[in-house]
């Protein structure tokens, strides 16, 4: 493999804004659940670009869709619609509770659209006083100013001046706290059915039932942020399908394009009617390239084989992590569901998730963290069993290294 020695990690600090601190590894090629860097070193990918590469790297169906569409039409603007967008919207509507779809490019943009929609809906139907949005501590909904303010992590939203108003945060899974703040002034509750960035914390079924009932009681809309939990990640096409609670609005991104930027907001016809012509828009939203790839993603992922395979792979990962923990005693539990799992560090290793991530990278395994105490795993939904085994072997060596100091 040719090595491009002119492009280095050092250059990042020269030419890039310093809001990221990427590792020294610069991947140049990926295939399935393996990645190779500039030096030709091989890594097993348990990170999946943060739950994005749901079919691994360079999946033939996605590459084929991109190449085929790339020779047809790339971009039009929303002055006209296009066939891949119509096909994708139809697939999403047929597969979910929703009647209508709005396309954007990222989870934050889909969430921004959802937040504007719920405010507009409440204003149109009930008046300007109904503007409260309730969200949850440690939630993550994106980095635009509105979404980061609704997200429940002040560290991300402080320091940029006055924030959007009318937002209330309560502890996740705390029904009493929610009951104490909801009223007829509430226009919406926004939540992740399983908190990702917040530490891989699943919503209790009884909590979800209570949230839905409180929304109904106060004429508030329920918004599910399924940016990370959607598109097969938990073993269902969308996480809401695990139970009886159906949201009014759902946002999806990350895995929807398998690595190509695309997002969608899904809702009912009655609610969607309030985003009239001119109320919201996106230059690239629903562009033919992204939609063509997303169509291929859904065709592969939304099948009984792949969704059942997620549960099987979850068990392999859980069993492997349990085995490692029996030996080294570093975790209190493995949380999450499907292939969105978090290994929670015990008291002895508090605050050291990054140490495990760095050690894993050194052993040729790509992983993630969710806060300072949780090591997060979001591999491809179709990662081969052999790659799970090899990845766990590398992770065990990393754990041994951290434990040995």
């Amino acid at each position: 493999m040719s090595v491009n020695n002119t492009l280095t990690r050092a250059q990042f600090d020269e030419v890039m804004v310093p809001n990221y601190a990427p590792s020294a590894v610069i991947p140049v090629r990926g295939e399935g659940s393996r990645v190779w860097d500039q030096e030709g070193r091989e890594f097993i990918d348990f990170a999946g670009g943060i739950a994005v590469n749901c079919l691994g790297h360079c999946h033939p169906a996605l590459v084929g869709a991109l190449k085929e569409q790339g020779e047809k039409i790339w971009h039009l603007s929303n002055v006209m619609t296009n066939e891949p967008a119509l096909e994708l919207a139809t697939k999403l509507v047929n597969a979910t509770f929703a009647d209508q779809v709005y396309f954007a490019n990222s989870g934050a943009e889909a969430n921004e659209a959802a937040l504007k929609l719920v405010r507009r809906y409440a204003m149109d139907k009930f008046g300007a006083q109904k503007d409260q949005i309730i969200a949850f501590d440690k939630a993550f909904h994106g980095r635009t100013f509105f979404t980061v303010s609704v997200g429940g992590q002040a560290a991300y939203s402080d320091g940029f001046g006055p924030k959007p108003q009318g937002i209330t945060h309560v502890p996740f899974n705390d029904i009493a706290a929610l009951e104490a703040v909801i009223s007829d002034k509430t226009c919406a509750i926004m939540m992740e059915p399983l908190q990702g960035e917040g530490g891989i914390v699943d919503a209790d079924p009884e909590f979800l039932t209570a949230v839905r009932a409180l929304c109904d009681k106060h004429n508030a809309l329920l918004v599910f942020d399924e940016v990370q939990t959607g598109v097969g990640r938990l073993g269902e096409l969308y996480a809401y399908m695990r139970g009886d609670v159906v949201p009014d609005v759902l946002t999806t991104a990350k895995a929807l394009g398998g690595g190509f930027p695309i997002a969608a907001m899904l809702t009912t016809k009655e609610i969607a009617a309030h985003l009239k012509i001119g109320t919201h828009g996106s230059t690239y939203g629903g562009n033919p390239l992204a939609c063509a790839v997303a169509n291929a993603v859904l065709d592969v992922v939304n099948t009984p084989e792949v969704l059942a395979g997620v549960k099987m792979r979850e068990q392999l990962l859980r069993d492997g992590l349990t085995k490692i923990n029996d030996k080294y005693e570093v975790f209190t539990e493995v949380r999450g569901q499907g292939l969105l799992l978090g290994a929670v560090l015990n008291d002895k290793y508090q605050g050291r998730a990054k140490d495990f991530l760095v050690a894993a990278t050194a052993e040729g395994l790509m992983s993630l963290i969710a806060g300072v105490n949780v090591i997060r795993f979001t591999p491809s939904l179709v990662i081969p069993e052999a790659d799970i085994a090899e990845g766990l072997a590398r992770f065990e060596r990393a754990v041994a290294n951290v434990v040995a100091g």
Side-chain angles (χ1 to χ4, degrees):
M1 195 190 336
S2 67
V3 177
N4 187 345
N5 290 320
T6 61
L7 299 170
T8 66
R9 171 62 182 83
Q11 266 171 281
F12 181 96
D13 299 326
E14 297 297 315
V15 299
M16 300 278 205
V17 170
N19 61 312
Y20 298 119
S23 90
V25 175
I26 301 182
V28 293
R29 184 170 71 87
E31 188 181 333
S33 288
R34 301 198 180 218
V35 169
W36 290 264
D37 72 0
Q38 285 177 321
E39 274 69 59
R41 281 180 305 183
E42 180 223 71
F43 296 83
I44 287 185
D45 188 0
F46 276 13
I50 315 185
V52 168
N53 301 323
C54 60
L55 296 174
H57 300 271
C58 298
H59 188 284
L62 308 196
V63 173
L66 184 61
K67 282 181 173 172
E68 189 184 330
Q69 187 60 43
E71 293 180 344
K72 288 181 181 174
I73 196 156
W74 284 33
H75 178 77
L76 285 160
S77 94
N78 287 297
V79 171
M80 296 178 177
T81 189
N82 65 80
E83 290 183 343
L86 292 171
E87 186 184 341
L88 180 60
T90 303
K91 275 182 186 149
L92 288 166
V93 164
N94 287 343
T96 66
F97 72 92
D99 306 315
Q100 296 189 314
V101 178
Y102 166 81
F103 288 123
N105 312 290
S106 66
E109 287 176 66
N111 284 336
E112 185 85 20
L115 291 164
K116 286 175 71 176
L117 171 61
V118 296
R119 280 270 179 88
R120 179 58 66 105
Y121 175 84
M123 185 180 278
D124 287 351
K125 285 200 74 164
F126 304 102
Q129 80 292 341
K130 191 175 177 69
D131 65 359
Q132 182 196 36
I133 291 165
I134 299 175
F136 297 94
D137 296 339
K138 298 199 171 92
F140 186 85
H141 297 300
R143 296 283 200 161
T144 66
F145 208 13
F146 199 172
T147 57
V148 85
S149 301
V150 173
Q153 304 185 52
Y156 291 160
S157 58
D158 288 351
F160 300 100
K163 297 178 191 181
Q165 297 300 294
I167 300 162
T168 306
H169 291 99
V170 296
F172 197 57
N173 280 328
D174 188 331
I175 298 169
L178 183 57
E179 286 173 336
V181 299
I182 196 168
S183 74
D184 289 340
K185 288 189 172 175
T186 307
C187 75
I189 295 176
M190 185 177 222
M191 64 181 292
E192 301 155 272
L194 190 164
Q195 288 192 334
E197 297 284 323
I200 317 299
V201 182
D202 210 344
D204 299 331
E206 57 271 25
F207 177 66
L208 284 181
T209 303
V211 169
R212 180 70 269 180
L214 286 166
C215 281
D216 294 342
K217 180 181 170 186
H218 294 284
N219 289 316
L221 298 179
L222 175 56
V223 182
F224 268 17
D225 174 341
E226 290 228 34
V227 169
Q228 189 158 186
T229 58
V231 195
R233 182 57 49 189
L234 305 190
E236 305 279 353
L237 184 63
Y238 285 100
Y240 83 86
M241 297 171 176
R242 297 179 295 171
D244 302 326
V245 173
V246 178
D248 300 296
V249 182
L250 180 147
T251 57
T252 177
K254 282 191 183 289
L256 182 60
F260 202 103
I262 185 170
M265 176 189 75
L266 284 55
T267 190
T268 64
K269 199 158 197 168
E270 189 227 335
I271 297 166
H274 295 268
L275 276 191
K276 299 179 181 72
I277 291 172
T279 50
H280 195 55
S282 165
T283 296
Y284 290 114
N287 91 82
L289 278 178
C291 291
V293 176
N295 273 308
V297 169
L298 283 183
D299 288 345
V300 176
V301 170
N302 196 22
T303 56
E305 307 85 71
V306 170
L307 295 174
V310 170
K311 301 283 194 192
M312 181 269 289
R313 289 166 173 79
E314 172 189 359
Q315 202 52 55
L316 291 176
L317 259 180
R318 280 186 182 279
D319 293 347
L321 291 169
T322 301
K323 223 175 200 171
I324 291 168
N325 199 43
D326 288 345
K327 205 164 164 184
Y328 295 99
E329 296 176 358
V330 287
F331 311 131
T332 57
E333 62 172 326
V334 176
R335 289 199 296 241
Q337 201 176 334
L339 291 174
L340 176 54
L341 297 177
V344 185
L345 295 173
N346 62 25
D347 289 345
K348 193 176 171 189
Y349 296 94
Q350 284 297 288
R352 293 189 62 190
K354 186 88 186 279
D355 294 350
F356 286 88
L357 180 144
V358 170
T361 305
E363 292 295 335
L365 178 75
M366 295 159 67
S367 60
L368 299 163
I369 58 175
V372 295
N373 293 316
V374 181
I375 304 150
R376 173 169 38 163
F377 304 101
T378 56
S380 156
L381 307 183
V382 295
I383 182 172
E385 291 178 49
D387 286 4
I388 295 177
E390 177 58 27
L392 285 164
R394 295 179 187 189
F395 186 62
E396 179 169 349
R397 292 199 291 273
V399 170
N401 291 338
V402 174
V403 170

